[in-house]
Amino acid sequence: MYHEVILLIRTLPVIPLRGMVVLHGEIMHCDAGRKKTLAAIQAAAAADGVAFFCAQRDSRNEEPDSHDFYETGTVCQIRQVFRLKGEGMHMLVSGVVRAYVRAYTNKDPYFEATVCDIAEIPGDAAACIALRRRVQQYFAEYAKLTNKLTNNQRSVLNDNEDDGGYADGVAAVAVEDFVTRQAILEETNAEKRLLLLTETLYKELQVLRVDQEISQKLREEIEKNQKEHYLREKVRVIRRELGETDENEADHFRRRMEEKDMPGEVRERLRKEIARLSMLPSGSHESPMARGYIELLLDLPWLEETKDSIDLKKARRLLDKNHYGMQKVKERIIEYLAVQKLTGKPGGQILCLVGPPGVGKTSIVASIAESMGRKFVRMSLGGIRDEAEIRGHRRTYIGAMPGRVISAMRQAGAINPVLLFDEIDKLASDIRGDPASAMLEVLDSAQNFAFQDHFLELPYDLSKAMILTTANDINTIHRPLLDRMEMINVQSYLAEEKLQIAKRHLLPRQLGLHGIEKTNLRITDGQMANIIHGYTREAGVRELERVLAALCRKAACEVAGGHTRVALNAHNITGFLGQPRYREDGMRKQNEVGVVTGLAYTPMGGETISIEASVVPGNGSIQLTGQLGEVMQESGRAAMTYARAHAREWGLSPDEISTLDVHVHVPKGAVPKDGPSAGVAMAAAIISALSGTPARADIAMTGEITLRGRVLPIGGVREKSLAALRAGITRVLLPADNKKDTEEIPNSARGSIDFLFLDSLDEALSIILAQKPQKTAREDEAPYLAAGQAFVPGYPANGLPL
């Protein structure tokens, strides 16, 4: 293995080292505890104190064999041995000469081997000089960075003229890596050993320089913190002497900032704003603005969120418990929650609950929040005209505030609340901006993950919030805003539904609010139905709850006066609530000329309306009264034109009509009315008046008409049909295209109504008018046609009905 000149061969005890290497000329302390090692030390001490020290390849091996040792080691002189507590020993040894094992002669009770000393091989003189200078340069920097050697100790090392010995001395001080030390020990060539040492010192210096930089930065940071701590303590003492509180406003904000979870960008902005606030003089006009901004950043939820607990069965139970009926609405909400549960994100578009006031739109959203375990925040958008109400004011203005969206998130305290934008159809716009346009970003899932508020000036994530809206009328909603929402119609309550809601929810709540036990006041279903019909006229139940509250107040007076039970009857209901304020317009008792029953839809539900037409001498004009809107007036004029075009079919000539004026009036003139659905009723009233033919009183009708006599579909079929039924009318004329809408009518009501579906106005008139007058013109005379009008479908060329 080695070809150096062999100096000495001898048999010595072997002392294995774990994770250590003793170099030539090095003095080292080491401990021993294994039995064989202790036996080898005792054997060496009993002789001349010389032993062979070699490194163990795997330091984790507790019971090594001879092949587990490096062949090259160091013959060392054991100078001192100290016994430790227990069976261990501590030694002070010095490396004498390199050696290698020729053979192991004994393994028990300790390792013993025949070892050969190894002679040094000098390298190239010039190369050794160059390498030695480089080692001296690196070693000097190493000693300066580590402070391990004094200048005198370094001078002693440098005075060693033997290149190999100098390399061993420097390595003993500067090289700590076990593998590298073994490589230096095994290298017998002085030049190669210096080269290996140069490379090792260079790498070590690189690490030391980086470590020095890190230490310097850490030291500077610690000194800075200590300085700040000292100054703050000094300021605190001064404040205490002045009688002020220990913690100033800036310190309070800093403490809150450290305790709160937030993104790095927000934390950095907050740190700058707090520093700016601490620099402002007391009484500065900028202080309130800076303080308000810092408090907003600290109050807003950035990473805080509530844990969802979506249970569809629980959601169904909550919806059924809090809301009676509304099955389609509940089903759509359950679908919405199911998607949310599976994806973890709000599914589909933003939901908009559309319906008349008081039908439970807001309470439905509150039930959604409760079923999910999320926080619920409601914002009313009614009457907002300024865009800054949504996006906030810029902080350049005195009194600037964040917008309602950010304020709602601040109120929620979590980034995933249920946000309700109430009355979104009431948004308005003026010269200050268009708040509806500002809402576009809020309701767009592709944009609201980085919502920009002018006051906040930082992007805010709204994508985790579940956003819902409510409206009474979709016709007033901004079109692009409407496109971002899915409409869910919340219909008005039927009388039967109001009765159940009053029994299950309204009356128990009012009894509790007024301190009345259930046994003190009892209202039968018949009495409750009379209260609903006589004292309320609404789509929802708010007015009904107010009426029940008034009834409970009267009952409370009776109970407080000593009565244990209040029995209601028709007499004391009138005494408590006064005379009924409303009455249903019943069916007309007889057929009348020029009077028909139409059907109207209002936010309070459906109603029957009488449409009257009278004929007076004139010049063929039509007059429309009853506070009719533009669309309804156009329906009246279209009906008049149709009557002129088909006059001969009803026993009239166009010349006669041109000498008559028609006046159409819709009673309840103080109530505005509009819409196209009165076209059929107006045409029937006009033709009945012109022809003198009575119109049937047992029929109600609705439908839009065209100049050609077609009957077009309309809306509100459910409400209109129920209004006819309440008035005692069981035959209803509807456009044929509305046949599918009758499925929305409850089965109990649908079975009581005889629906007649129409395609043309002629079909309607043949049913509405009690009898049809004979045609006055000659059989071969063509019918009178308006300018540009073709013959009406369903009639032959001679104008007679098929």
Side-chain angles (χ1 to χ4, degrees):
M1 178 178 177
Y2 291 99
H3 302 285
E4 295 88 351
V5 176
I6 300 176
L7 300 178
L8 182 63
I9 300 176
R10 47 191 162 177
T11 300
L12 296 173
V14 177
I15 298 177
L17 300 174
R18 290 192 290 183
M20 301 172 63
V21 174
V22 181
L23 296 176
H24 173 220
E26 183 179 12
I27 298 176
M28 177 181 288
H29 291 269
C30 54
D31 294 330
R34 291 182 290 190
K35 290 182 179 180
K36 288 188 177 183
T37 304
L38 295 174
I41 294 172
Q42 291 174 352
D48 55 0
V50 177
F52 180 70
F53 285 70
C54 61
Q56 183 176 316
R57 296 180 188 276
D58 186 358
S59 60
R60 296 169 297 182
N61 191 348
E62 292 290 340
E63 299 292 337
D65 202 351
S66 58
H67 61 268
D68 294 320
F69 305 144
Y70 284 101
E71 291 81 2
T72 303
T74 307
V75 175
C76 296
Q77 178 70 48
I78 301 175
R79 294 188 175 187
Q80 292 180 345
V81 177
F82 304 97
R83 287 194 175 275
L84 304 175
K85 289 183 179 180
E87 298 181 355
M89 289 185 179
H90 178 79
M91 298 177 292
L92 175 65
V93 302
S94 61
V96 178
V97 66
R98 283 178 173 78
Y100 74 94
V101 176
R102 293 188 67 185
Y104 281 90
T105 59
N106 192 15
K107 296 184 180 180
D108 195 54
Y110 57 85
F111 290 103
E112 190 176 44
T114 301
V115 298
C116 300
D117 295 352
I118 303 173
E120 297 283 337
I121 300 176
D124 181 73
C128 286
I129 292 173
L131 288 170
R132 182 165 177 153
R133 288 176 181 174
R134 185 57 58 89
V135 168
Q136 287 176 344
Q137 177 188 345
Y138 288 164
F139 185 59
E141 186 177 354
Y142 174 84
K144 182 178 178 181
L145 291 174
T146 59
N147 291 322
K148 282 190 175 182
L149 294 175
T150 64
N151 291 333
N152 290 334
Q153 291 172 323
R154 196 166 68 251
S155 297
V156 171
L157 280 175
N158 291 335
D159 290 342
N160 190 340
E161 296 180 355
D162 178 42
D163 295 330
Y166 173 73
D168 289 337
V170 172
V173 175
V175 180
E176 297 180 358
D177 181 62
F178 158 71
V179 177
T180 306
R181 288 172 68 92
Q182 182 67 31
I184 291 174
L185 179 65
E186 293 175 355
E187 184 54 66
T188 58
N189 187 294
E191 178 186 343
K192 293 182 179 179
R193 196 183 309 157
L194 283 171
L195 179 61
L196 177 59
L197 182 61
T198 304
E199 295 173 352
T200 303
L201 283 176
Y202 179 78
K203 294 177 182 177
E204 184 66 20
L205 284 175
Q206 295 291 95
V207 175
L208 286 174
R209 288 181 189 125
V210 174
D211 182 66
Q212 188 76 8
E213 291 177 5
I214 295 173
S215 299
Q216 182 66 22
K217 290 179 181 178
L218 183 61
R219 186 163 51 252
E220 290 174 356
E221 187 66 27
I222 292 173
E223 290 175 355
K224 179 182 176 183
N225 291 339
Q226 289 176 339
K227 181 179 178 180
E228 289 181 357
H229 176 71
Y230 169 75
L231 293 175
R232 292 186 191 284
E233 287 296 324
K234 194 170 183 179
V235 170
R236 188 174 289 111
V237 172
I238 294 172
R239 287 203 193 97
R240 191 178 297 117
E241 291 297 324
L242 293 174
E244 299 177 0
T245 57
D246 287 352
E247 184 179 54
N248 66 0
E249 195 173 40
D251 292 335
H252 172 69
F253 288 147
R254 287 190 186 95
R255 180 173 56 79
R256 286 184 60 189
M257 178 184 68
E258 295 303 325
E259 294 172 354
K260 186 176 178 65
D261 246 356
M262 59 181 67
E265 179 187 4
V266 179
R267 191 177 297 277
E268 186 61 30
R269 170 66 71 87
L270 190 53
R271 187 176 286 112
K272 290 180 181 178
E273 292 294 330
I274 294 174
R276 178 171 170 267
L277 176 65
S278 63
M279 304 270 305
L280 291 174
S282 59
S284 170
H285 69 278
E286 295 185 27
S287 295
M289 181 70 69
R291 188 179 301 110
Y293 184 68
I294 292 170
E295 289 177 346
L296 175 65
L297 292 181
L298 289 171
D299 292 342
L300 268 179
W302 296 97
L303 301 174
E304 302 91 338
E305 60 181 310
T306 55
K307 185 177 179 181
D308 285 347
S309 58
I310 302 177
D311 185 340
L312 298 185
K313 292 183 179 179
K314 177 185 175 183
R316 283 193 177 94
R317 285 197 303 270
L318 274 174
L319 290 173
D320 289 336
K321 175 184 175 183
N322 298 335
H323 304 87
Y324 182 80
M326 306 166 66
Q327 294 306 319
K328 289 188 176 180
V329 177
K330 292 177 183 177
E331 195 60 34
R332 180 61 185 90
I333 290 171
I334 293 298
E335 294 170 3
Y336 189 75
L337 294 178
V339 174
Q340 169 77 6
K341 181 176 182 178
L342 294 177
T343 64
K345 299 178 181 179
Q349 293 179 304
I350 305 296
L351 295 185
C352 179
L353 304 179
V354 182
V359 294
K361 300 185 294 297
T362 303
S363 59
I364 288 176
V365 181
S367 296
I368 294 174
E370 183 181 354
S371 67
M372 297 178 67
R374 290 192 178 192
K375 296 185 177 180
F376 172 59
V377 181
R378 171 187 168 273
M379 287 167 292
S380 178
L381 302 180
I384 292 180
R385 295 178 175 273
D386 190 354
E387 178 192 358
E389 290 282 338
I390 304 297
R391 287 190 176 277
H393 305 81
R394 299 192 183 276
R395 289 195 291 144
T396 52
Y397 301 107
I398 299 297
M401 296 176 61
R404 295 206 179 194
V405 177
I406 294 298
S407 297
M409 296 301 295
R410 183 181 192 175
Q411 178 185 346
I415 59 173
N416 61 338
V418 175
L419 290 182
L420 172 63
F421 293 101
D422 210 1
E423 311 291 353
I424 198 169
D425 57 325
K426 308 298 190 302
L427 284 173
S429 61
D430 60 10
I431 57 173
R432 290 170 288 184
D434 184 2
S437 298
M439 285 294 296
L440 294 176
E441 183 181 1
V442 179
L443 300 184
D444 192 338
S445 57
Q447 302 179 42
N448 62 11
F449 67 91
F451 174 70
Q452 292 287 343
D453 183 272
H454 293 155
F455 184 87
L456 185 61
E457 295 180 346
L458 288 168
Y460 192 83
D461 186 6
L462 295 174
S463 62
K464 294 185 178 181
M466 178 179 286
I467 300 175
L468 297 100
T469 65
T470 68
N472 298 130
D473 185 6
I474 64 173
N475 295 318
T476 58
I477 299 178
H478 196 257
R479 291 297 104 181
L481 203 60
L482 188 64
D483 183 58
R484 283 166 168 77
M485 300 184 292
E486 178 183 347
M487 299 296 128
I488 298 181
N489 288 316
V490 184
Q491 297 175 328
S492 58
Y493 292 121
L494 305 176
E496 294 80 4
E497 292 174 333
K498 289 183 181 180
L499 176 62
Q500 295 298 326
I501 291 170
K503 288 172 56 179
R504 299 183 185 190
H505 302 288
L506 305 184
L507 185 58
R509 180 162 63 230
Q510 291 303 321
L511 290 175
L513 291 174
H514 292 85
I516 303 174
E517 299 293 335
K518 291 183 179 180
T519 56
N520 297 140
L521 176 64
R522 184 173 180 275
I523 305 176
T524 65
D525 289 356
Q527 291 166 346
M528 186 67 77
N530 291 335
I531 292 172
I532 292 171
H533 293 302
Y535 295 91
T536 66
R537 183 63 56 89
E538 58 177 343
V541 291
R542 285 179 183 157
E543 187 179 359
L544 176 58
E545 186 167 16
R546 287 192 290 269
V547 171
L548 293 177
L551 197 61
C552 289
R553 288 194 298 271
K554 297 295 185 181
C557 293
E558 296 288 330
V559 173
H563 295 83
T564 57
R565 182 171 182 177
V566 179
L568 291 182
N569 52 50
H571 176 71
N572 58 13
I573 288 179
T574 303
F576 288 163
L577 301 178
Q579 292 295 327
R581 295 192 292 270
Y582 306 101
R583 67 179 183 85
E584 291 288 349
D585 293 331
M587 182 177 66
R588 289 180 287 119
K589 294 184 172 26
Q590 59 184 6
N591 301 342
E592 300 178 57
V593 174
V595 181
V596 298
T597 302
L599 296 173
Y601 173 77
T602 70
M604 279 69 71
E607 288 187 8
T608 59
I609 57 173
S610 292
I611 297 180
E612 304 172 349
S614 293
V615 178
V616 296
N619 55 7
S621 62
I622 182 171
Q623 185 178 5
L624 301 166
T625 57
Q627 203 169 342
L628 309 183
E630 185 64 30
V631 176
M632 197 167 182
Q633 292 186 37
E634 290 175 356
S635 295
R637 288 192 285 270
M640 185 63 187
T641 302
Y642 179 85
R644 290 176 185 273
H646 297 268
R648 295 189 184 279
E649 299 169 20
W650 304 98
L652 298 171
S653 69
D655 294 336
E656 290 181 83
I657 294 179
S658 63
T659 62
L660 300 174
D661 286 348
V662 177
H663 184 170
V664 178
H665 177 70
V666 183
K668 298 183 182 178
V671 180
K673 311 168 190 69
D674 203 359
S677 63
V680 171
M682 283 185 164
I686 291 172
I687 293 176
S688 173
L690 287 172
S691 65
T693 306
R696 293 177 59 171
D698 61 344
I699 294 178
M701 64 208 72
T702 182
E704 181 182 356
I705 62 169
T706 69
L707 293 177
R708 298 291 190 264
R710 291 179 55 222
V711 179
L712 304 181
I714 43 79
V717 171
R718 175 178 178 268
E719 288 77 9
K720 292 176 180 179
S721 301
L722 294 174
L725 189 61
R726 285 198 305 270
I729 301 174
T730 59
R731 302 192 76 189
V732 177
L733 302 187
L734 292 177
D737 289 341
N738 284 118
K739 186 174 183 178
K740 62 183 183 302
D741 299 320
T742 59
E743 298 297 324
E744 298 180 3
I745 302 172
N747 293 331
S748 58
R750 190 165 66 243
S752 303
I753 302 174
D754 180 17
F755 291 105
L756 302 175
F757 300 102
L758 313 169
D759 286 311
S760 67
L761 185 55
D762 184 66
E763 295 177 37
L765 294 174
S766 64
I767 298 171
I768 297 167
L769 300 184
Q771 61 183 13
K772 184 171 181 179
Q774 295 298 317
K775 180 176 171 69
T776 58
R778 297 191 308 271
E779 293 296 327
D780 57 351
E781 184 179 358
Y784 175 80
L785 299 178
Q789 181 187 5
F791 73 94
V792 179
Y795 288 84
N798 61 7
L800 294 176
L802 292 173

